[in-house]
Amino acid sequence: MSHAHLHLSPSGLYPFDARGIAKRFRHAAIFGALDALQSGETMRFVNDHDPLPLLDQLRNRYGDRVTIEYKQREPGSIVIDFNVV
């Protein structure tokens, strides 16, 4: 028996606030969240610093399958949309 993927957000936009996740678990949690998304869905990532090493890891892991779009880039307040293609 097959079960359909449940889309909990009608807009396909899923918030992910990294500030509340212990640093040692953040990257694994982010990769897990991105792996759960389907084409056309977006994870809105919120953090207190610009995650440049993470962005490099995302590019290496996902290549062109995930696009990175800054929505806000101010000291202490970073918002990035990770769009699954």
Side-chain angles (χ1 to χ4, degrees), residues 26-42:
R26 278 187 193 169
H27 288 201
I30 292 162
F31 294 144
L34 283 172
D35 288 345
L37 294 180
Q38 294 186 350
S39 179
E41 295 181 324
T42 298

Side-chain angles (χ1 to χ4, degrees), residues 16-17 19 43-52 55 68-82:
F16 186 100
D17 190 338
R19 297 171 296 184
M43 182 174 83
R44 177 153 292 162
F45 175 84
V46 177
N47 204 7
D48 56 4
H49 66 276
D50 204 349
L52 298 177
L55 299 183
I68 298 167
E69 179 185 351
Y70 279 89
K71 295 303 209 176
Q72 184 172 340
R73 196 174 190 181
E74 300 171 10
S77 184
I78 302 294
V79 179
I80 304 171
D81 278 358
F82 297 125

